[in-house]
mmCIF file of all heavy atoms in Angstrom:
data_model
loop_
_atom_site.group_PDB
_atom_site.id
_atom_site.type_symbol
_atom_site.label_atom_id
_atom_site.label_comp_id
_atom_site.label_asym_id
_atom_site.label_seq_id
_atom_site.Cartn_x
_atom_site.Cartn_y
_atom_site.Cartn_z
ATOM 1 N N LEU E 2 20.769 -76.786 -82.010
ATOM 2 C CA LEU E 2 21.599 -77.858 -81.426
ATOM 3 C C LEU E 2 21.063 -78.214 -80.077
ATOM 4 O O LEU E 2 20.875 -79.349 -79.687
ATOM 5 C CB LEU E 2 23.007 -77.340 -81.346
ATOM 6 C CG LEU E 2 23.871 -77.357 -82.609
ATOM 7 C CD1 LEU E 2 25.237 -76.902 -82.347
ATOM 8 C CD2 LEU E 2 23.829 -78.761 -83.287
ATOM 9 N N SER E 3 20.759 -77.131 -79.253
ATOM 10 C CA SER E 3 20.343 -77.382 -77.914
ATOM 11 C C SER E 3 19.050 -78.178 -77.905
ATOM 12 O O SER E 3 18.814 -79.128 -77.155
ATOM 13 C CB SER E 3 20.093 -76.013 -77.257
ATOM 14 O OG SER E 3 19.628 -76.144 -75.947
ATOM 15 N N HIS E 4 18.089 -77.815 -78.804
ATOM 16 C CA HIS E 4 16.759 -78.477 -78.919
ATOM 17 C C HIS E 4 16.941 -79.943 -79.368
ATOM 18 O O HIS E 4 16.388 -80.887 -78.804
ATOM 19 C CB HIS E 4 15.838 -77.636 -79.783
ATOM 20 C CG HIS E 4 14.435 -78.165 -79.947
ATOM 21 N ND1 HIS E 4 13.642 -78.395 -78.946
ATOM 22 C CD2 HIS E 4 13.970 -78.872 -81.044
ATOM 23 C CE1 HIS E 4 12.448 -79.044 -79.311
ATOM 24 N NE2 HIS E 4 12.762 -79.302 -80.675
ATOM 25 N N HIS E 5 17.493 -80.057 -80.581
ATOM 26 C CA HIS E 5 17.608 -81.388 -81.210
ATOM 27 C C HIS E 5 18.440 -82.397 -80.760
ATOM 28 O O HIS E 5 18.225 -83.543 -80.758
ATOM 29 C CB HIS E 5 17.826 -81.242 -82.686
ATOM 30 C CG HIS E 5 16.792 -80.515 -83.468
ATOM 31 N ND1 HIS E 5 16.956 -79.326 -84.204
ATOM 32 C CD2 HIS E 5 15.411 -80.808 -83.574
ATOM 33 C CE1 HIS E 5 15.811 -78.981 -84.778
ATOM 34 N NE2 HIS E 5 14.872 -79.828 -84.468
ATOM 35 N N LEU E 6 19.529 -81.829 -79.923
ATOM 36 C CA LEU E 6 20.515 -82.757 -79.325
ATOM 37 C C LEU E 6 20.131 -82.982 -77.842
ATOM 38 O O LEU E 6 20.662 -83.824 -77.094
ATOM 39 C CB LEU E 6 21.916 -82.266 -79.307
ATOM 40 C CG LEU E 6 22.564 -81.991 -80.737
ATOM 41 C CD1 LEU E 6 23.958 -81.513 -80.569
ATOM 42 C CD2 LEU E 6 22.389 -83.253 -81.589
ATOM 43 N N ASN E 7 19.114 -82.254 -77.367
ATOM 44 C CA ASN E 7 18.631 -82.319 -76.008
ATOM 45 C C ASN E 7 19.856 -82.098 -75.070
ATOM 46 O O ASN E 7 20.010 -82.833 -74.107
ATOM 47 C CB ASN E 7 17.900 -83.632 -75.679
ATOM 48 C CG ASN E 7 17.068 -83.566 -74.459
ATOM 49 O OD1 ASN E 7 16.561 -82.496 -74.052
ATOM 50 N ND2 ASN E 7 16.843 -84.725 -73.865
ATOM 51 N N ILE E 8 20.429 -80.931 -75.287
ATOM 52 C CA ILE E 8 21.571 -80.489 -74.355
ATOM 53 C C ILE E 8 21.364 -79.108 -73.950
ATOM 54 O O ILE E 8 20.514 -78.414 -74.603
ATOM 55 C CB ILE E 8 22.952 -80.655 -75.081
ATOM 56 C CG1 ILE E 8 22.967 -79.874 -76.387
ATOM 57 C CG2 ILE E 8 23.243 -82.178 -75.391
ATOM 58 C CD1 ILE E 8 24.354 -79.836 -77.142
ATOM 59 N N ASP E 9 22.138 -78.682 -72.917
ATOM 60 C CA ASP E 9 21.907 -77.326 -72.504
ATOM 61 C C ASP E 9 22.720 -76.379 -73.384
ATOM 62 O O ASP E 9 23.413 -76.806 -74.285
ATOM 63 C CB ASP E 9 22.522 -77.142 -71.003
ATOM 64 C CG ASP E 9 23.981 -77.395 -70.899
ATOM 65 O OD1 ASP E 9 24.684 -77.401 -71.884
ATOM 66 O OD2 ASP E 9 24.454 -77.482 -69.722
ATOM 67 N N LYS E 10 22.414 -75.139 -73.269
ATOM 68 C CA LYS E 10 22.931 -74.053 -74.208
ATOM 69 C C LYS E 10 24.417 -74.002 -74.099
ATOM 70 O O LYS E 10 25.091 -73.708 -75.133
ATOM 71 C CB LYS E 10 22.239 -72.709 -73.893
ATOM 72 C CG LYS E 10 21.319 -72.303 -74.946
ATOM 73 C CD LYS E 10 20.918 -70.833 -74.727
ATOM 74 C CE LYS E 10 20.154 -70.472 -76.025
ATOM 75 N NZ LYS E 10 19.538 -69.284 -75.843
ATOM 76 N N GLU E 11 25.010 -74.241 -72.943
ATOM 77 C CA GLU E 11 26.506 -74.082 -72.784
ATOM 78 C C GLU E 11 27.156 -75.159 -73.613
ATOM 79 O O GLU E 11 28.176 -74.890 -74.428
ATOM 80 C CB GLU E 11 26.953 -74.220 -71.339
ATOM 81 C CG GLU E 11 26.557 -73.031 -70.521
ATOM 82 C CD GLU E 11 27.086 -71.731 -71.029
ATOM 83 O OE1 GLU E 11 28.302 -71.608 -71.337
ATOM 84 O OE2 GLU E 11 26.335 -70.739 -71.127
ATOM 85 N N ALA E 12 26.570 -76.392 -73.596
ATOM 86 C CA ALA E 12 27.133 -77.500 -74.411
ATOM 87 C C ALA E 12 26.886 -77.197 -75.888
ATOM 88 O O ALA E 12 27.865 -77.515 -76.727
ATOM 89 C CB ALA E 12 26.502 -78.812 -73.976
ATOM 90 N N ALA E 13 25.881 -76.656 -76.199
ATOM 91 C CA ALA E 13 25.490 -76.369 -77.575
ATOM 92 C C ALA E 13 26.490 -75.204 -78.125
ATOM 93 O O ALA E 13 26.955 -75.321 -79.257
ATOM 94 C CB ALA E 13 24.037 -75.844 -77.747
ATOM 95 N N LYS E 14 26.782 -74.290 -77.320
ATOM 96 C CA LYS E 14 27.692 -73.250 -77.652
ATOM 97 C C LYS E 14 29.062 -73.698 -77.902
ATOM 98 O O LYS E 14 29.839 -73.428 -78.922
ATOM 99 C CB LYS E 14 27.772 -72.147 -76.544
ATOM 100 C CG LYS E 14 26.557 -71.324 -76.390
ATOM 101 C CD LYS E 14 26.719 -70.332 -75.223
ATOM 102 C CE LYS E 14 25.443 -69.688 -74.852
ATOM 103 N NZ LYS E 14 25.594 -68.843 -73.741
ATOM 104 N N LYS E 15 29.562 -74.689 -77.035
ATOM 105 C CA LYS E 15 30.890 -75.323 -77.186
ATOM 106 C C LYS E 15 30.866 -76.038 -78.536
ATOM 107 O O LYS E 15 31.886 -76.015 -79.261
ATOM 108 C CB LYS E 15 31.076 -76.187 -76.045
ATOM 109 C CG LYS E 15 32.508 -76.847 -75.992
ATOM 110 C CD LYS E 15 32.641 -77.720 -74.822
ATOM 111 C CE LYS E 15 34.072 -78.375 -74.742
ATOM 112 N NZ LYS E 15 34.078 -79.696 -75.379
ATOM 113 N N ILE E 16 29.916 -76.907 -78.832
ATOM 114 C CA ILE E 16 29.939 -77.712 -80.024
ATOM 115 C C ILE E 16 29.867 -76.690 -81.236
ATOM 116 O O ILE E 16 30.544 -76.922 -82.257
ATOM 117 C CB ILE E 16 28.646 -78.660 -80.010
ATOM 118 C CG1 ILE E 16 28.886 -79.711 -78.941
ATOM 119 C CG2 ILE E 16 28.470 -79.179 -81.436
ATOM 120 C CD1 ILE E 16 27.670 -80.542 -78.674
ATOM 121 N N ALA E 17 29.005 -75.633 -81.208
ATOM 122 C CA ALA E 17 28.962 -74.783 -82.309
ATOM 123 C C ALA E 17 30.311 -74.049 -82.572
ATOM 124 O O ALA E 17 30.667 -73.863 -83.733
ATOM 125 C CB ALA E 17 27.838 -73.601 -82.009
ATOM 126 N N GLN E 18 31.034 -73.745 -81.539
ATOM 127 C CA GLN E 18 32.349 -73.175 -81.665
ATOM 128 C C GLN E 18 33.308 -74.201 -82.326
ATOM 129 O O GLN E 18 34.109 -73.777 -83.321
ATOM 130 C CB GLN E 18 32.971 -72.706 -80.298
ATOM 131 C CG GLN E 18 34.331 -72.030 -80.428
ATOM 132 C CD GLN E 18 34.170 -70.745 -81.116
ATOM 133 O OE1 GLN E 18 33.444 -69.874 -80.843
ATOM 134 N NE2 GLN E 18 35.115 -70.562 -82.128
ATOM 135 N N GLU E 19 33.226 -75.392 -82.001
ATOM 136 C CA GLU E 19 34.187 -76.423 -82.595
ATOM 137 C C GLU E 19 33.702 -76.617 -84.067
ATOM 138 O O GLU E 19 34.718 -76.734 -84.903
ATOM 139 C CB GLU E 19 33.945 -77.736 -81.792
ATOM 140 C CG GLU E 19 34.599 -77.772 -80.562
ATOM 141 C CD GLU E 19 34.490 -79.058 -79.732
ATOM 142 O OE1 GLU E 19 34.603 -80.132 -80.398
ATOM 143 O OE2 GLU E 19 34.327 -78.967 -78.487
ATOM 144 N N VAL E 20 32.415 -76.714 -84.384
ATOM 145 C CA VAL E 20 31.974 -76.815 -85.708
ATOM 146 C C VAL E 20 32.440 -75.654 -86.559
ATOM 147 O O VAL E 20 32.882 -75.867 -87.695
ATOM 148 C CB VAL E 20 30.500 -77.043 -85.827
ATOM 149 C CG1 VAL E 20 29.867 -76.891 -87.203
ATOM 150 C CG2 VAL E 20 30.065 -78.349 -85.129
ATOM 151 N N ASN E 21 32.288 -74.488 -86.045
ATOM 152 C CA ASN E 21 32.702 -73.280 -86.717
ATOM 153 C C ASN E 21 34.192 -73.312 -87.074
ATOM 154 O O ASN E 21 34.603 -73.050 -88.136
ATOM 155 C CB ASN E 21 32.352 -72.011 -85.871
ATOM 156 C CG ASN E 21 32.722 -70.751 -86.682
ATOM 157 O OD1 ASN E 21 32.121 -70.572 -87.797
ATOM 158 N ND2 ASN E 21 33.469 -69.982 -86.103
ATOM 159 N N ASP E 22 34.953 -73.645 -86.129
ATOM 160 C CA ASP E 22 36.432 -73.701 -86.217
ATOM 161 C C ASP E 22 36.950 -74.771 -87.160
ATOM 162 O O ASP E 22 37.868 -74.538 -87.982
ATOM 163 C CB ASP E 22 37.152 -73.894 -84.878
ATOM 164 C CG ASP E 22 36.983 -72.644 -83.974
ATOM 165 O OD1 ASP E 22 36.568 -71.616 -84.442
ATOM 166 O OD2 ASP E 22 37.237 -72.816 -82.802
ATOM 167 N N GLN E 23 36.287 -75.971 -87.157
ATOM 168 C CA GLN E 23 36.851 -77.068 -87.952
ATOM 169 C C GLN E 23 36.060 -77.319 -89.202
ATOM 170 O O GLN E 23 36.610 -77.990 -90.096
ATOM 171 C CB GLN E 23 36.743 -78.337 -87.086
ATOM 172 C CG GLN E 23 37.611 -78.210 -85.782
ATOM 173 C CD GLN E 23 37.478 -79.386 -84.915
ATOM 174 O OE1 GLN E 23 37.342 -80.523 -85.371
ATOM 175 N NE2 GLN E 23 37.472 -79.287 -83.622
ATOM 176 N N LEU E 24 34.855 -76.858 -89.336
ATOM 177 C CA LEU E 24 34.118 -77.099 -90.698
ATOM 178 C C LEU E 24 33.710 -75.838 -91.404
ATOM 179 O O LEU E 24 34.113 -75.554 -92.593
ATOM 180 C CB LEU E 24 32.871 -77.943 -90.356
ATOM 181 C CG LEU E 24 33.036 -79.379 -89.982
ATOM 182 C CD1 LEU E 24 31.707 -79.937 -89.682
ATOM 183 C CD2 LEU E 24 33.829 -80.124 -91.080
ATOM 184 N N PHE E 25 33.025 -75.028 -90.755
ATOM 185 C CA PHE E 25 32.561 -73.743 -91.413
ATOM 186 C C PHE E 25 33.530 -72.823 -91.837
ATOM 187 O O PHE E 25 33.511 -72.111 -92.855
ATOM 188 C CB PHE E 25 31.561 -73.024 -90.567
ATOM 189 C CG PHE E 25 30.199 -73.712 -90.202
ATOM 190 C CD1 PHE E 25 29.454 -73.403 -89.111
ATOM 191 C CD2 PHE E 25 29.731 -74.688 -91.056
ATOM 192 C CE1 PHE E 25 28.222 -74.119 -88.872
ATOM 193 C CE2 PHE E 25 28.552 -75.406 -90.925
ATOM 194 C CZ PHE E 25 27.828 -75.106 -89.712
ATOM 195 N N SER E 26 34.718 -72.788 -91.136
ATOM 196 C CA SER E 26 35.827 -71.863 -91.426
ATOM 197 C C SER E 26 36.342 -72.277 -92.830
ATOM 198 O O SER E 26 36.855 -71.432 -93.552
ATOM 199 C CB SER E 26 36.858 -71.864 -90.474
ATOM 200 O OG SER E 26 37.392 -73.235 -90.334
ATOM 201 N N LYS E 27 36.296 -73.450 -93.196
ATOM 202 C CA LYS E 27 36.932 -73.970 -94.527
ATOM 203 C C LYS E 27 36.031 -73.556 -95.722
ATOM 204 O O LYS E 27 36.483 -73.399 -96.838
ATOM 205 C CB LYS E 27 36.968 -75.422 -94.542
ATOM 206 C CG LYS E 27 38.034 -75.981 -93.534
ATOM 207 C CD LYS E 27 38.096 -77.509 -93.510
ATOM 208 C CE LYS E 27 39.085 -77.924 -92.427
ATOM 209 N NZ LYS E 27 39.085 -79.321 -92.298
ATOM 210 N N VAL E 28 34.713 -73.210 -95.439
ATOM 211 C CA VAL E 28 33.777 -72.863 -96.552
ATOM 212 C C VAL E 28 33.178 -71.463 -96.242
ATOM 213 O O VAL E 28 32.018 -71.145 -96.753
ATOM 214 C CB VAL E 28 32.749 -73.996 -96.734
ATOM 215 C CG1 VAL E 28 33.379 -75.148 -97.452
ATOM 216 C CG2 VAL E 28 32.017 -74.234 -95.578
ATOM 217 N N ARG E 29 33.760 -70.666 -95.520
ATOM 218 C CA ARG E 29 33.339 -69.483 -95.005
ATOM 219 C C ARG E 29 32.847 -68.460 -96.119
ATOM 220 O O ARG E 29 31.794 -67.927 -96.196
ATOM 221 C CB ARG E 29 34.261 -68.718 -94.177
ATOM 222 C CG ARG E 29 33.699 -67.458 -93.391
ATOM 223 C CD ARG E 29 34.625 -66.895 -92.408
ATOM 224 N NE ARG E 29 35.330 -67.805 -91.525
ATOM 225 C CZ ARG E 29 34.775 -68.351 -90.486
ATOM 226 N NH1 ARG E 29 33.543 -68.064 -90.152
ATOM 227 N NH2 ARG E 29 35.408 -69.113 -89.666
ATOM 228 N N HIS E 30 33.664 -68.477 -97.183
ATOM 229 C CA HIS E 30 33.386 -67.574 -98.358
ATOM 230 C C HIS E 30 32.044 -67.928 -98.991
ATOM 231 O O HIS E 30 31.216 -66.998 -99.241
ATOM 232 C CB HIS E 30 34.593 -67.525 -99.241
ATOM 233 C CG HIS E 30 34.398 -66.630 -100.471
ATOM 234 N ND1 HIS E 30 34.517 -65.294 -100.259
ATOM 235 C CD2 HIS E 30 34.074 -66.956 -101.758
ATOM 236 C CE1 HIS E 30 34.264 -64.700 -101.377
ATOM 237 N NE2 HIS E 30 34.029 -65.636 -102.408
ATOM 238 N N SER E 31 31.931 -69.183 -99.156
ATOM 239 C CA SER E 31 30.649 -69.668 -99.867
ATOM 240 C C SER E 31 29.462 -69.442 -98.991
ATOM 241 O O SER E 31 28.372 -69.182 -99.416
ATOM 242 C CB SER E 31 30.800 -71.196 -100.341
ATOM 243 O OG SER E 31 31.753 -71.247 -101.280
ATOM 244 N N LEU E 32 29.637 -69.736 -97.702
ATOM 245 C CA LEU E 32 28.588 -69.490 -96.788
ATOM 246 C C LEU E 32 28.090 -67.979 -96.684
ATOM 247 O O LEU E 32 26.925 -67.802 -96.601
ATOM 248 C CB LEU E 32 28.899 -69.946 -95.291
ATOM 249 C CG LEU E 32 29.046 -71.442 -95.133
ATOM 250 C CD1 LEU E 32 29.615 -71.806 -93.823
ATOM 251 C CD2 LEU E 32 27.630 -72.132 -95.202
ATOM 252 N N LYS E 33 29.060 -67.086 -96.831
ATOM 253 C CA LYS E 33 28.712 -65.692 -96.875
ATOM 254 C C LYS E 33 27.902 -65.385 -98.112
ATOM 255 O O LYS E 33 26.867 -64.703 -98.014
ATOM 256 C CB LYS E 33 29.967 -64.830 -96.949
ATOM 257 C CG LYS E 33 30.817 -64.756 -95.744
ATOM 258 C CD LYS E 33 31.967 -63.941 -95.944
ATOM 259 C CE LYS E 33 32.882 -63.950 -94.760
ATOM 260 N NZ LYS E 33 34.149 -63.121 -95.010
ATOM 261 N N LYS E 34 28.179 -66.125 -99.234
ATOM 262 C CA LYS E 34 27.447 -65.835 -100.509
ATOM 263 C C LYS E 34 26.006 -66.287 -100.324
ATOM 264 O O LYS E 34 25.066 -65.668 -100.701
ATOM 265 C CB LYS E 34 28.119 -66.561 -101.653
ATOM 266 C CG LYS E 34 29.332 -65.880 -102.210
ATOM 267 C CD LYS E 34 29.775 -66.653 -103.296
ATOM 268 C CE LYS E 34 31.045 -66.054 -103.910
ATOM 269 N NZ LYS E 34 31.605 -66.692 -104.989
ATOM 270 N N ILE E 35 25.839 -67.596 -99.772
ATOM 271 C CA ILE E 35 24.514 -68.112 -99.821
ATOM 272 C C ILE E 35 23.583 -67.366 -98.766
ATOM 273 O O ILE E 35 22.368 -67.360 -98.904
ATOM 274 C CB ILE E 35 24.418 -69.617 -99.615
ATOM 275 C CG1 ILE E 35 24.961 -70.045 -98.258
ATOM 276 C CG2 ILE E 35 25.093 -70.334 -100.721
ATOM 277 C CD1 ILE E 35 24.772 -71.493 -97.939
ATOM 278 N N TYR E 36 24.249 -66.832 -97.728
ATOM 279 C CA TYR E 36 23.418 -66.035 -96.784
ATOM 280 C C TYR E 36 23.427 -64.580 -96.989
ATOM 281 O O TYR E 36 22.955 -63.813 -96.203
ATOM 282 C CB TYR E 36 23.921 -66.311 -95.386
ATOM 283 C CG TYR E 36 23.462 -67.784 -94.879
ATOM 284 C CD1 TYR E 36 24.468 -68.765 -94.838
ATOM 285 C CD2 TYR E 36 22.238 -68.073 -94.555
ATOM 286 C CE1 TYR E 36 24.123 -70.083 -94.480
ATOM 287 C CE2 TYR E 36 21.870 -69.358 -94.174
ATOM 288 C CZ TYR E 36 22.854 -70.337 -94.193
ATOM 289 O OH TYR E 36 22.481 -71.613 -93.826
ATOM 290 N N HIS E 37 24.000 -64.206 -98.077
ATOM 291 C CA HIS E 37 24.068 -62.705 -98.519
ATOM 292 C C HIS E 37 24.588 -61.965 -97.454
ATOM 293 O O HIS E 37 24.080 -60.797 -97.140
ATOM 294 C CB HIS E 37 22.665 -62.206 -98.986
ATOM 295 C CG HIS E 37 22.004 -63.186 -99.988
ATOM 296 N ND1 HIS E 37 22.421 -63.240 -101.331
ATOM 297 C CD2 HIS E 37 20.973 -64.056 -99.872
ATOM 298 C CE1 HIS E 37 21.801 -64.113 -102.001
ATOM 299 N NE2 HIS E 37 20.795 -64.635 -101.047
ATOM 300 N N LEU E 38 25.716 -62.284 -96.858
ATOM 301 C CA LEU E 38 26.272 -61.518 -95.767
ATOM 302 C C LEU E 38 27.273 -60.592 -96.458
ATOM 303 O O LEU E 38 27.900 -60.981 -97.467
ATOM 304 C CB LEU E 38 27.090 -62.500 -94.830
ATOM 305 C CG LEU E 38 26.149 -63.372 -94.036
ATOM 306 C CD1 LEU E 38 26.921 -64.312 -93.178
ATOM 307 C CD2 LEU E 38 25.159 -62.558 -93.189
ATOM 308 N N GLU E 39 27.527 -59.488 -95.876
ATOM 309 C CA GLU E 39 28.492 -58.579 -96.380
ATOM 310 C C GLU E 39 29.842 -59.215 -96.376
ATOM 311 O O GLU E 39 30.159 -59.992 -95.460
ATOM 312 C CB GLU E 39 28.523 -57.244 -95.495
ATOM 313 C CG GLU E 39 27.295 -56.430 -95.664
ATOM 314 C CD GLU E 39 27.351 -55.158 -94.794
ATOM 315 O OE1 GLU E 39 28.388 -54.764 -94.436
ATOM 316 O OE2 GLU E 39 26.306 -54.757 -94.513
ATOM 317 N N GLU E 40 30.714 -58.708 -97.267
ATOM 318 C CA GLU E 40 32.109 -59.344 -97.371
ATOM 319 C C GLU E 40 32.897 -59.082 -96.030
ATOM 320 O O GLU E 40 33.723 -59.860 -95.661
ATOM 321 C CB GLU E 40 32.863 -58.699 -98.485
ATOM 322 C CG GLU E 40 33.850 -59.585 -99.181
ATOM 323 C CD GLU E 40 33.468 -61.037 -99.428
ATOM 324 O OE1 GLU E 40 32.356 -61.258 -99.969
ATOM 325 O OE2 GLU E 40 34.256 -61.856 -99.160
#
């Protein structure tokens, strides 16, 4: 995010947190499966 959006790391962290809370949290179980993360 920092590189492709040409923003500083703090802004990228804030955006990542929002994406995680609003999008990734809804599909967390499936994301765990595709990344082979422990339950």
Side-chain angles (χ1 to χ4, degrees):
L2 286 180
S3 180
H4 176 72
H5 292 124
L6 302 181
N7 197 25
I8 57 176
D9 64 13
K10 252 192 171 170
E11 290 304 312
K14 289 176 193 178
K15 182 178 181 273
I16 292 170
Q18 182 66 51
E19 290 179 38
V20 169
N21 185 54
D22 292 343
Q23 297 178 35
L24 289 176
F25 293 157
S26 63
K27 295 177 182 177
V28 290
R29 188 173 317 279
H30 182 70
S31 295
L32 287 171
K33 286 180 188 179
K34 282 183 183 177
I35 66 171
Y36 288 105
H37 308 290
L38 297 174
E39 293 177 21
E40 211 44 47

